[in-house]
Amino acid sequence: MTSDGLRTQPVDSLRPEDAAVELERLAGEIAAHDDRYYRDDAPEISDADYDALRQRNAAIEARYPNLIRKDSPSNKVGAAPAEGFAKVTHSVPMLSLGNAFSEEDVADFLDRVRRFLSLPADEVVEVMAEPKIDGLSVSARYEAGKFVMAATRGDGREGENITENLRTLGDLPETIIAKDLLGGGIPDVLEVRGEVYMAKSDFQALNDRQAAEGAKVFANPRNAAAGSLRQKDPAVTAARPLRVFFYSWGEVSEVSWETQAEFYEKLTEWGFQTNSRARLCRSLDEIMAAYSNTETERASLDYDIDGMVYKVNRLDWQGRLGQVSRAPRWATAHKFAAEKATTVLEKITVQVGRTGVLTPVANLTPVTVGGVVVGRATLHNEDYIAEKDIREGDTVIIQRAGDVIPQVVEVVPDKRPQGAQAFVMPETCPECGSIAIREEGEAAKRCTGGLICPAQAVERLKHFVSRDAFDIEGLGAKNIESFWGEGWLKSPADIFDVETLTGRLDGREGWKEKSIENLKRAIEDRREIGLDRFVYALGIPQVGQATARLLARTYGSWTALKASMADAQDRESEAYADLIDIDQIGPSVADDLLGFFAEDHNQEVLRQLEAALDIQDMEVADTSGSPVAGKTVVFTGSLETMGRSEAKAKAESLGAKVSGSVSKKTDYVVAGPGAGSKLKKAEELGVAVLTEEEWADLVS
Ligand code: IVH
């Protein structure tokens, strides 16, 4: 029989050998139509005809399951992963950026770079100035020139596997173009990173279409891009007009470029989209010119940008500069001025946060700012309100910058209604009635209700499950509030009494067997948790992610951390001295930390959590081969081959502790020209004194 005849033969009468031929043909044909449809946006057959092909394929597979092909269309597009997205660990973390808001901040950034690298005054620091695309960052991995995997940024260390979704983007080369004009070849492993976005015009058209169909309308292009990319069914992503600009890299087997500018050229040569507005600048003036030119063009561009990103061009310098916390020292983001709008402040209410801080909130007549409808804005604290004389009924100007909470920036005085009263902060907590006090030197009033204040408790729980903490899928802020309201969750440990918690959901509106099962699994998955996330989740005042990570890295294990906190309750102890010796932890953070650990109720919750969880030790960088691991070093005088911060960063990366003052515990003092009292003290105490050169020899 001819293959044309086979095409129309009823499935029931196909012999196995014919079925195999048909399945092969269908796989090829459906894949070709997929390409036309998803990648080229130019389908050649009607949806009905396409569906008929897939149905025939499925029917043959059902009849001859042993003939199902590896490349079967039923395994591809349309076959959404059953549960969310798989997690992917980034082999090179995806960093975020520090911010600059003014020319002065940019000048500071350049100064810091110069100082760190100890550059002579006449040395030019080339900086790549690129528009900061307002989208979602992604990482796309190529092996032997072929696209193999893509992930979202996630928390920077772990993202979601969105390979099949990203594959549907027309901007994304499936294979890297093999020409090699610039030399250096194509790295065997190449992770390119960039920003997925939706053009403003496409966004408008999509929203019009969605509205006509009664489907979800997106607030702005960024949300539309995010919503479209994180679809469980890649076919939905494929139907959305997403694009991508690439601008950096992750894991790369051989780096054959020496500058950011050169990397841009490579990207273009390999077939990736880059932003044509990136400029190489040689001075602060040139950077500021690039900034204002781009800001002027901003409204006329067909994609949203929210600032500029400046990157030190030389890779060797980038390497020396390294990173602090999760942002590179060699780059910064310079934000454009926030977008503003005018509206009416209808009422001022007071919100109670996780640590008891009372925050006045402006309830506004909803208004659109930068594409987002805003109904509430923060008023920070009572001083802010008094200083700007903000009153209920006032017409106010609000602004919204990026993902930051909108704020009220000023009042339009001419429009004040008669009789508008000045706002007075309540003397008691609006949630629990406890006295609210304002400590000397603080701007915020705090509820003193502590553990009895329901608002604080529920905020603490929300924090506990939030994305950078336990990140329990299916247990977001809304569920926490409702479970709290039911009295099912009182302390974080109640979450891990999984059977009791999920048992209560049976028959509850909005919960089905499947979603209860999913929640159970999501909680079970989180019994194993990294020490840094755990510490952050506790919601200790002043202990954000960076500090939590610092503590985790310093103490290594939960047992060690807890024991040290107990010892450090004695402010004369060595444990206390060690604690405040940690760079970036001062007496004030130490007070909050120790206060938390001293509290009986907290100890009880910690005991329950310990019993329910497996808190993972922190991997401490292997400095076992380092001659200075565990040693305390003091740098003094001027250093000639490196800046003070670079010296400090290097020493710390080798496991040494860098201290600002000399004591008996100091192991080395590295003294450069001009060293004074610290050198003298070292000599008195008999501490080893090294020249910069001797230090370099020791650590090399
Ligand atoms: S570079 C280590 N370049 O901004 C380098 N980021 O605030 C990290 N972004 O997570 C990123 N445009 O999502 C870089 N031209 C650009 C960018 C850009 C937008 C985003 C990116 C990043 C965030 C940091």
Side-chain angles (χ1 to χ4, degrees):
M1 192 177 295
T2 65
S3 65
D4 245 332
L6 261 188
R7 233 173 235 274
T8 50
Q9 193 178 327
V11 172
D12 284 347
S13 62
L14 281 176
R15 289 171 306 151
E17 55 278 31
D18 293 336
V21 174
E22 262 294 77
L23 285 177
E24 183 180 7
R25 172 187 73 86
L26 285 163
E29 210 163 295
I30 291 171
H33 287 307
D34 281 346
D35 275 356
R36 303 263 59 153
Y37 184 85
Y38 296 135
R39 303 198 51 118
D40 310 337
D41 262 342
E44 281 173 350
I45 57 172
S46 71
D47 289 358
D49 288 347
Y50 175 80
D51 288 344
L53 289 177
R54 290 191 78 107
Q55 272 157 15
R56 182 169 171 81
N57 183 72
I60 302 174
E61 288 182 342
R63 182 145 189 245
Y64 296 110
N66 59 324
L67 295 181
I68 296 177
R69 304 168 56 84
K70 256 217 190 101
D71 63 351
S72 161
S74 356
N75 297 330
K76 284 197 282 195
V77 180
E83 314 279 355
F85 296 90
K87 300 272 187 210
V88 176
T89 303
H90 299 296
S91 52
V92 175
M94 290 182 79
L95 303 178
S96 53
L97 294 173
N99 283 321
F101 295 97
S102 62
E103 175 163 358
E104 207 185 331
D105 291 349
V106 180
D108 282 349
F109 163 70
L110 293 176
D111 281 349
R112 274 199 306 278
V113 166
R114 290 190 158 282
R115 236 180 301 124
F116 194 98
L117 297 172
S118 201
L119 297 179
D122 55 357
E123 177 102 43
V124 171
V125 177
E126 280 186 338
V127 166
M128 196 69 168
E130 310 170 1
K132 184 166 184 302
I133 316 298
D134 196 8
L136 293 95
S137 40
V138 295
S139 186
R141 186 177 174 97
Y142 289 76
E143 287 175 6
K146 286 233 161 354
F147 171 64
V148 293
M149 215 260 302
T152 60
R153 177 174 184 277
D155 64 3
R157 309 168 152 224
E158 197 181 60
E160 289 175 324
N161 188 328
I162 48 152
T163 309
E164 294 314 319
N165 298 36
L166 203 69
R167 202 193 288 282
T168 65
L169 267 66
D171 276 357
L172 188 93
E174 182 70 28
T175 315
I176 298 176
I177 297 165
K179 71 179 176 215
D180 188 24
L181 303 175
L182 300 166
I186 296 166
D188 213 35
V189 174
L190 171 67
E191 275 177 19
V192 287
R193 290 175 173 179
E195 205 81 355
V196 169
Y197 67 98
M198 191 177 286
K200 292 180 194 169
S201 50
D202 288 336
F203 162 71
Q204 205 51 55
L206 171 67
N207 258 0
D208 291 346
R209 214 159 58 227
Q210 296 280 107
E213 291 167 6
K216 179 182 161 73
V217 170
F218 296 99
N220 55 40
R222 188 181 183 283
N223 288 5
S228 302
L229 189 63
R230 293 190 71 265
Q231 285 288 333
K232 290 192 179 163
D233 181 354
V236 177
T237 305
R240 301 278 172 79
L242 293 176
R243 308 182 189 202
V244 57
F245 282 128
F246 287 100
Y247 48 67
S248 79
W249 66 93
E251 185 181 343
V252 175
S253 48
E254 314 95 55
V255 174
S256 62
W257 50 95
E258 290 177 352
T259 60
Q260 174 72 19
E262 226 184 291
F263 177 64
Y264 256 75
E265 289 172 29
K266 295 257 179 192
L267 281 175
T268 314
E269 180 200 316
W270 290 333
F272 296 100
Q273 296 298 321
T274 57
N275 189 285
S276 60
R277 285 180 170 73
R279 295 280 177 275
L280 197 56
C281 301
R282 296 169 54 88
S283 64
L284 178 61
D285 286 348
E286 287 185 23
I287 292 175
M288 290 310 296
Y291 176 85
S292 40
N293 289 341
T294 314
E295 191 173 28
T296 314
E297 288 175 343
R298 183 181 186 190
S300 64
L301 298 178
D302 195 26
Y303 46 88
D304 278 334
I305 57 177
D306 54 352
M308 298 289 282
V309 178
Y310 306 136
K311 303 174 182 172
V312 169
N313 195 36
R314 275 174 58 165
L315 246 58
D316 56 341
W317 284 355
Q318 288 189 6
R320 281 175 60 192
L321 286 156
Q323 68 190 68
V324 61
S325 195
R326 288 202 291 172
R329 286 195 192 83
W330 48 264
T332 195
H334 186 183
K335 297 294 183 71
F336 290 136
E339 297 192 62
K340 296 190 177 160
T342 303
T343 186
V344 173
L345 192 170
E346 296 174 353
K347 194 166 175 45
I348 298 176
T349 51
V350 174
Q351 235 174 33
V352 185
R354 167 167 63 90
T355 57
V357 169
L358 306 192
T359 306
V361 176
N363 295 265
L364 309 162
T365 305
V367 61
T368 306
V369 198
V372 176
V373 179
V374 173
R376 286 150 67 84
T378 181
L379 291 166
H380 303 287
N381 53 54
E382 55 187 323
D383 289 354
Y384 186 84
I385 297 177
E387 186 199 324
K388 309 231 161 186
D389 190 19
I390 300 169
R391 304 184 184 192
E392 288 181 351
D394 272 344
T395 293
V396 291
I397 295 173
I398 62 163
Q399 73 174 25
R400 180 187 153 265
D403 284 338
V404 185
I405 306 169
Q407 23 169 219
V408 172
V409 281
E410 64 184 302
V411 168
V412 183
D414 300 349
K415 298 208 170 159
R416 170 162 295 165
Q418 269 195 342
Q421 298 289 313
F423 174 75
V424 185
M425 228 13 204
E427 299 293 325
T428 56
C429 170
E431 300 284 342
C432 73
S434 304
I435 303 282
I437 54 161
R438 186 171 164 183
E439 302 269 6
E440 196 166 312
E442 282 205 24
K445 240 182 177 167
R446 263 174 216 268
C447 159
T448 53
L451 299 168
I452 68 137
C453 177
Q456 291 184 47
V458 79
E459 290 305 318
R460 273 198 300 270
L461 282 166
K462 283 189 204 163
H463 172 81
F464 188 84
V465 299
S466 65
R467 191 176 141 130
D468 294 323
F470 270 76
D471 189 22
I472 299 174
E473 210 165 313
L475 196 58
K478 279 221 177 71
N479 281 332
I480 289 285
E481 266 174 19
S482 95
F483 295 177
W484 165 267
E486 297 284 351
W488 299 346
L489 282 184
K490 293 213 165 59
S491 112
D494 297 339
I495 295 169
F496 294 96
D497 185 357
V498 182
E499 292 304 325
T500 310
L501 180 67
T502 54
R504 290 172 152 146
L505 294 174
D506 209 6
R508 191 181 163 89
E509 201 194 316
W511 290 90
K512 297 203 188 76
E513 205 181 312
K514 178 95 181 141
S515 50
I516 297 175
E517 206 37 58
N518 286 346
L519 177 60
K520 236 186 227 178
R521 182 140 14 98
I523 297 174
E524 290 299 342
D525 275 356
R526 288 299 191 228
R527 280 196 199 271
E528 201 182 284
I529 183 121
L531 179 60
D532 51 343
R533 270 181 185 263
F534 179 71
V535 173
Y536 173 69
L538 296 176
I540 304 166
Q542 299 198 70
V543 180
Q545 260 186 300
T547 308
R549 202 161 285 148
L550 208 59
L551 289 165
R553 242 185 273 127
T554 307
Y555 294 100
S557 72
W558 172 243
T559 322
L561 173 67
K562 209 173 70 158
S564 302
M565 293 305 119
D567 293 345
Q569 297 292 342
D570 171 5
R571 303 298 203 264
E572 303 291 314
S573 66
E574 207 166 299
Y576 181 77
D578 286 344
L579 175 62
I580 57 170
D581 224 21
I582 302 175
D583 191 24
Q584 296 164 51
I585 295 191
S588 154
V589 177
D591 277 352
D592 279 344
L593 255 174
L594 297 173
F596 178 88
F597 279 89
E599 164 73 55
D600 285 345
H601 173 272
N602 290 341
Q603 289 180 4
E604 176 55 29
V605 172
L606 289 176
R607 268 192 295 275
Q608 293 168 358
L609 285 172
E610 280 162 20
L613 300 174
D614 177 6
I615 306 165
Q616 305 268 297
D617 291 354
M618 193 72 179
E619 277 176 44
V620 198
D622 182 17
T623 50
S624 52
S626 158
V628 295
K631 305 279 191 212
T632 302
V633 189
V634 175
F635 292 97
T636 181
S638 52
L639 300 177
E640 282 168 344
T641 62
M642 50 188 164
R644 187 64 70 80
S645 340
E646 183 176 11
K648 183 164 184 295
K650 176 90 200 281
E652 283 173 348
S653 75
L654 291 166
K657 200 156 87 184
V658 179
S659 172
S661 58
V662 179
S663 73
K664 279 191 306 230
K665 289 204 299 178
T666 311
D667 295 291
Y668 299 110
V669 169
V670 181
S677 62
K678 290 182 192 172
L679 176 58
K680 208 167 137 229
K681 181 140 188 220
E683 282 162 351
E684 278 165 23
L685 293 171
V687 172
V689 176
L690 305 179
T691 63
E692 187 176 346
E693 206 181 331
E694 285 165 339
W695 167 257
D697 282 348
L698 177 64
V699 298
S700 69

